[in-house]
Amino acid sequence: MADNRKKTSMSQVLADIKPYITKKFMAAPCIKEQDIQAICQILLPRYKNV
């Protein structure tokens, strides 16, 4: 089975997960725990170095 996933950069990963990143008041950007599964389903099939 051929591996069709490509290598990616951090900027591309951030662009893919940007809709899931939220910013809390006076805090660093974060991801809600319930969104982790969806993010994994987006990134793992696409990229081999994530």
Side-chain angles (χ1 to χ4, degrees):
M1 182 173 151
D3 189 359
N4 294 328
R5 298 178 299 168
K6 61 183 178 181
K7 286 192 173 189
T8 188
S9 64
M10 191 63 187
S11 61
Q12 182 61 47
V13 170
L14 287 173
D16 285 345
I17 65 173
K18 188 173 184 171
Y20 298 98
I21 297 174
T22 57
K23 202 162 193 174
K24 294 185 178 179
F25 178 71
M26 298 294 285
C30 62
I31 295 172
K32 293 179 182 169
E33 189 174 342
Q34 70 262 20
D35 293 337
I36 293 174
Q37 183 72 28
I39 292 169
C40 289
Q41 289 174 343
I42 291 169
L43 297 178
L44 293 177
R46 286 188 196 176
Y47 308 117
K48 58 183 169 184
N49 64 330
V50 175

